Amino acid sequence: MNRMSMINAFDPTRSDALDPTTRSLIERRLRVLGPAYRLFYEEPLHLVRGEGVWLYDANGAAYLDAYNNVASLGHAQPDVVRAISEQSATLVTHTRYLHEGILRLAERLLATMPAEMGHVMLTCTGSEANDLAYRLARTVTGNRGVIVTNLAYHGVTQAVAEFSPSLGAGVPIGNHVRVIPPPDAYHSDGDVATQFAQSVTAAAADLSAAGHGLAMFIVDSIFSSDGVYADPPGFLAPAVAAARAAGGIYVADEVQPGFGRTGAAMWGFERHGLIPDLVTMGKPMGNGYPVAALVAQPRHLEKFGRDARYFNTFGGNPVAAAAANAVLDVIEREHLIRHAAEVGAYLLKGLSELADRHPRIGDVRGAGLFVGAELVQDRASREPDRDLATQVVNGLRQRRILLSASGPGGNILKIRPPLAFQRPHADTLLSALDEVLTLG
Ligand code: PMP
C-alpha cells in the first residue's frame, strides 16, 4: 500500500466510534488478512455494488465516485461485463494456443501508439509489467541503475518495490536507484523542464560513478503519486533525452494516465511528444478485469526473445483479451477521450472558480479527468495543509463523494473519476467541496 493511500487511512485505534457491523468487518479483516493492509477513511466504507459513476454501500446509499480509475469507463459497464461473461462461457485458456482475441487486442493497442512501438506482452498487473520492463532494460543496456521521482509508485514485486519510494521509509529503495524531485511547477521558480533534465543527468552520473550505470528512467506520465503534474506539455522531453544520453532507456508508466483519461490522447506520454522505449499499462485496461501489458520497440526485445522465453499463465488469456477489447470498443464508440477533455476542462474551471473564493486552494491542475487541487496553509508560503486535506477527504466521504489526496505533504486532492463522469456530477462535487472548505 503506498503512502498516498495512507494519508487518509483508517486509524484502528479509533474504531470505537464505529457502528457494530463495520467494527466487526474490520476486526475479521485484520484477523484474516493480517496487518499489511490499509483501509481508506476515518469511517471505512463497505461497498457492495457499482454502476456508472455510483458506488452503493450495504445500506443502499449511493456514493459519487470521483476517485477510481480501474473501472475507468464506469462501474459494471455492460459491454465489458457481457464480453467477460461470454468469453468465460466459451473458452478460457492461455497464450500458448492461437487465439484471435489476443492478436486483435495487440494490433489495436499498437494502432494507438507511435509506429516505433511494435510488440505487446501481456501481464496481469501493472507491477508485473514494470518488473518485465526492468528485466528488459537491464538486458538491453547491460546496466542496473534506475531513476524515478521522489514519490513514484510502480508496484509490488521485490524489484519494483525497490524503485517505488512512495512505499515509504519502511521499504528502502535499492542502492542502484536514484530519486529525483518531480517537475513541480507550483513550488519551483525556474523552468521545470530544464530542472528535471538536469536532475536526470546528475542522477545518471551518480549511478555511473557507483558502477551501476543507467538501465532505465521510468516515469508515470501524469506523476499521480507525486502530486499530479501535467503542464507545460512537453516538459518531460528534455529529461528523456538526458536519460538516453546517459545510456538508459525510457519507460512510460501509463498505468494511471493511460486509456484516454488525460483527454488529449490515449496515452500520457503523447502530451510530451515522446516515443518511449517501453510502455507499461494496467488498471483501466480491463475496466476491473485484471489485465495489463508492456509495449516495446521491437529492437528492445531481440536479445531477450533469443535468450529467454515468456509465459504468463493468466496474462492475456482470452477473457482478459475480451475485456480489454471491449474497453477499447467503448472508448472509441463513446468518444471518451474527447469527453474526458471536455468534462475535465469543466471541472478544472469550476475548481479555479472555487479557488477564487477559497485561498487555501493554492493550485489546481491536471489533464482531462486527472485533476489535482493543492491545499495550502496560505498562498504566500504555499505550505502544504495535510490536516485540511484529511478533513476535506473525510468531509466529502460524509457527503457521499469519494476522492483522495497525494503528494509529499498529503495535501493534493486527487480527482480521477470513471470516465462516465458528466458535468452535473462535477457540479455535485464542486458544491460539496465548497461546503466542506467553507466549514473547514
Ligand atoms: N504504476 C503506477 C503508476 C501505479 O499507480 C500502479 C498501481 N497503483 C502500478 C504501477 C502497479 O499496478 P498494479 O497494482 O496493477 O500492480
Side-chain angles (χ1 to χ4, degrees):
M1 184 59 60
N2 50 32
R3 210 155 92 195
M4 58 190 164
S5 326
M6 288 173 64
I7 288 158
N8 300 295
F10 166 68
D11 174 359
T13 61
R14 295 174 59 180
S15 73
D16 287 355
L18 300 172
D19 71 78
T21 313
T22 306
R23 212 166 58 218
S24 147
L25 283 170
I26 292 170
E27 282 162 9
R28 279 172 59 205
R29 188 177 190 273
L30 187 62
R31 200 174 312 126
V32 293
L33 302 187
Y37 281 85
R38 304 288 183 276
L39 280 164
F40 278 150
Y41 297 117
E42 285 164 2
E43 189 184 339
L45 268 172
H46 177 201
L47 299 170
V48 295
R49 189 169 75 80
E51 189 180 341
V53 294
W54 299 101
L55 287 165
Y56 297 86
D57 73 11
N59 300 316
Y63 293 77
L64 178 63
D65 186 359
Y67 182 66
N68 288 291
N69 66 344
V70 174
S72 180
L73 309 174
H75 295 278
Q77 204 287 335
D79 300 70
V80 183
V81 172
R82 197 176 317 113
I84 291 171
S85 158
E86 286 176 1
Q87 188 57 51
S88 303
T90 307
L91 177 73
V92 188
T93 51
H94 53 72
T95 47
R96 279 183 168 150
Y97 299 106
L98 292 170
H99 193 266
E100 187 62 43
I102 188 173
L103 303 182
R104 208 163 78 82
L105 172 62
E107 285 161 359
R108 293 175 79 186
L109 284 173
L110 291 173
T112 67
M113 295 219 174
E116 287 80 353
M117 311 307 297
H119 295 318
V120 179
M121 294 172 80
L122 278 297
T123 63
C124 302
T125 66
S127 299
E128 279 183 300
N130 284 333
D131 196 271
L132 183 59
Y134 183 50
R135 284 180 74 190
L136 290 172
R138 287 181 63 156
T139 305
V140 167
T141 63
N143 299 330
R144 293 187 67 220
V146 181
I147 300 175
V148 291
T149 48
N150 277 344
L151 269 191
Y153 181 73
H154 296 292
V156 295
T157 70
Q158 174 67 35
V160 177
E162 285 186 355
F163 57 84
S164 292
S166 85
L167 287 166
V171 183
I173 58 162
N175 60 17
H176 60 293
V177 177
R178 297 293 177 275
V179 296
I180 60 172
D184 175 359
Y186 181 58
H187 286 101
S188 154
D189 294 330
D191 162 22
V192 281
T194 306
Q195 288 166 357
F196 200 46
Q198 283 167 349
S199 298
V200 169
T201 301
D206 200 34
L207 283 169
S208 163
H212 300 299
L214 178 62
M216 68 177 185
F217 172 47
I218 177 167
V219 258
D220 166 356
S221 317
I222 193 74
F223 298 87
S224 167
S225 51
D226 278 290
V228 188
Y229 301 108
D231 288 321
F235 74 68
L236 198 46
V240 168
R244 285 177 170 150
I249 64 169
Y250 159 51
V251 182
D253 183 332
E254 291 285 334
V255 169
Q256 291 278 347
F259 292 90
R261 172 163 296 279
T262 60
M266 189 74 159
W267 308 108
F269 64 78
E270 292 178 80
R271 186 175 182 77
H272 296 285
L274 288 163
I275 297 166
D277 291 285
L278 305 175
V279 181
T280 56
M281 63 189 72
K283 281 187 192 288
M285 187 170 175
N287 208 53
Y289 189 94
V291 52
L294 171 138
V295 179
Q297 295 196 23
R299 62 196 173 110
H300 296 322
L301 280 178
E302 280 170 14
K303 180 167 166 43
F304 186 87
R306 264 195 320 271
D307 299 346
R309 64 188 156 78
Y310 178 75
F311 175 60
N312 186 319
T313 303
F314 298 118
N317 76 73
V319 185
N325 273 314
V327 166
L328 293 176
D329 289 341
V330 176
I331 291 173
E332 282 166 23
R333 190 187 67 220
E334 298 186 0
H335 306 289
L336 288 180
I337 299 179
R338 196 175 68 208
H339 173 79
E342 285 168 7
V343 180
Y346 180 80
L347 177 62
L348 213 49
K349 181 165 168 285
L351 284 168
S352 302
E353 283 162 13
L354 268 192
D356 291 341
R357 282 184 287 119
H358 295 283
R360 288 165 84 191
I361 303 181
D363 190 32
V364 295
R365 54 183 181 252
L369 280 171
F370 212 122
V371 172
E374 180 141 359
L375 302 181
V376 293
Q377 292 177 19
D378 64 75
R379 289 234 175 113
S381 74
R382 302 186 175 189
E383 274 299 305
D385 197 332
R386 178 188 290 262
D387 291 345
L388 179 61
T390 303
Q391 213 175 309
V392 166
V393 170
N394 284 289
L396 288 174
R397 179 250 179 270
Q398 296 307 335
R399 287 162 182 77
R400 297 185 182 157
I401 296 172
L402 308 184
L403 46 70
S404 189
S406 73
N411 65 316
I412 301 160
L413 299 181
K414 194 162 63 173
I415 309 174
R416 200 184 49 180
L419 302 184
F421 208 71
Q422 308 285 346
R423 286 173 191 227
H425 303 128
D427 291 336
T428 305
L429 166 61
L430 290 164
S431 66
L433 188 56
D434 191 10
E435 197 178 298
V436 173
L437 285 167
T438 304
L439 293 173

